[in-house]
Amino acid sequence: RPVAVLNSPPDAFTFLRDFVHPNVPCIIKNAIPSNDASGGATGRPLTLTLDEIINHVDEDAKITVDVTPDGHGDCIRSVVVEANHHHDAKQQQQRQERRMFVKPHEKNMGIGKFRDLLRRGRSGCDDRTNSHNGKIVNGNADAGVVPKIDSNGLEVFPLHHHSNCTDKAHSITDTESEVGRPPVVYYSRQNDCLRTEVSKLFSTQLFPPTFPFAEEAFGTGPPDAINLWIGNERSVSSMHKDHYENLFYVCSGQKEFVLC
């Protein structure tokens, strides 16, 4: 059924009856009002760009960023591993493809550098995107590199063991991949990052500490975590189920949800 759009936050009873209890989503407009420089209400909802966030926290402020080759982290995908075999006292290696759960590489960097990588990744994707067997992949046409794609449309990457990682393998996380594609960076830190890792932004009081209508409807008290996520269209979250009731506020751009 169509997703309901509310022009203002509902009262707790309406929110509980129409959305929480039947477990259906809704879009709530004007959920966080914005204020002018003197603290007075502007009558408009809060908007906040990455550049404006950096103005509040300073570009050298450190954040923990997820880095992946293609934007797919925390998911099951195919990887290539080297299998060792012994035959006639000679060691042979055979490349095997294996399905496994992979997590993104976490890298600590200044938020200003994160912004540069985020924008560089988008322009690099636009410049080097090509079609391969009906899937959209990224490759280096000049080098003649054609990535291998698995049955789910994801590129197959080699597995680098920590004990044998080369400097080149490490450098891929903040330069280009082996097929000439910039990495995908995504700030999606969990565990209350807005009030911990970027607490300077939260201290500006741009964001409310809670939404009373939701707190009453959920019956949970104040939120356990308030997170800030920053990325672009190259970042993809795998299908999952959260153990919390969630409210998402889009400060700028758009967020796309696929509901199952």
Side-chain angles (χ1 to χ4, degrees):
R1 70 186 195 178
V3 175
V5 178
L6 311 180
N7 289 319
S8 61
D11 60 82
F13 177 77
T14 301
F15 187 55
L16 177 62
R17 180 195 62 196
D18 295 347
F19 304 106
V20 179
H21 180 66
N23 196 30
V24 297
C26 66
I27 297 174
I28 304 173
K29 294 184 176 181
N30 304 302
I32 302 179
S34 63
N35 296 324
D36 56 27
S38 63
T42 65
R44 299 187 299 272
L46 172 69
T47 59
L48 199 63
T49 65
L50 179 53
D51 289 329
E52 290 169 336
I53 289 174
I54 292 176
N55 288 338
H56 284 292
V57 303
D58 187 70
E59 66 178 15
D60 294 325
K62 297 297 184 181
I63 58 174
T64 306
V65 176
D66 288 343
V67 186
T68 60
D70 60 0
H72 291 265
D74 286 325
C75 65
I76 297 175
R77 63 187 303 163
S78 299
V79 298
V80 174
V81 297
E82 301 286 352
N84 293 326
H85 300 280
H86 295 273
H87 181 66
D88 294 334
K90 289 184 178 181
Q91 188 181 67
Q92 298 179 343
Q93 286 191 327
Q94 180 180 353
R95 293 168 63 86
Q96 296 181 347
E97 194 171 306
R98 182 185 303 172
R99 300 279 288 172
M100 62 175 57
F101 184 84
V102 298
K103 294 180 67 65
H105 173 72
E106 293 185 350
K107 190 172 183 66
N108 190 260
M109 66 179 70
I111 192 171
K113 180 180 180 181
F114 166 71
R115 173 183 57 189
D116 296 341
L117 289 173
L118 189 68
R119 292 174 178 171
R120 174 172 165 263
R122 170 178 282 182
S123 62
C125 179
D126 292 340
D127 293 340
R128 302 170 189 180
T129 298
N130 56 73
S131 177
H132 178 70
N133 293 334
K135 303 292 185 181
I136 300 300
V137 298
N138 299 303
N140 189 334
D142 295 335
V145 177
V146 178
K148 182 177 180 180
I149 307 299
D150 69 11
S151 59
N152 293 322
L154 299 180
E155 189 173 339
V156 179
F157 289 95
L159 176 66
H160 296 288
H161 295 282
H162 287 290
S163 58
N164 297 320
C165 272
T166 63
D167 291 337
K168 180 180 179 182
H170 280 298
S171 68
I172 290 172
T173 59
D174 57 8
T175 57
E176 294 189 349
S177 76
E178 293 181 76
V179 294
R181 175 191 50 231
V184 179
V185 291
Y186 185 29
Y187 184 60
S188 59
R189 193 71 171 164
Q190 304 285 338
N191 303 325
D192 206 25
C193 69
L194 182 56
R195 295 187 293 192
T196 54
E197 194 167 62
V198 284
S199 59
K200 188 175 181 179
L201 178 62
F202 189 72
S203 68
T204 62
Q205 298 184 342
L206 291 170
F207 304 96
T210 187
F211 291 95
F213 74 92
E215 186 176 324
E216 183 178 351
F218 296 152
T220 55
D224 287 345
I226 304 177
N227 298 313
L228 174 68
W229 296 341
I230 309 172
N232 59 29
E233 67 275 10
R234 297 181 68 200
S235 300
V236 180
S237 299
S238 58
M239 184 176 67
H240 64 279
K241 178 182 179 181
D242 290 331
H243 296 286
Y244 283 86
E245 300 283 6
N246 292 314
L247 295 177
F248 292 84
Y249 187 86
V250 181
C251 295
S252 61
Q254 64 184 45
K255 174 74 173 178
E256 181 177 308
F257 295 88
V258 179
L259 304 177
C260 301

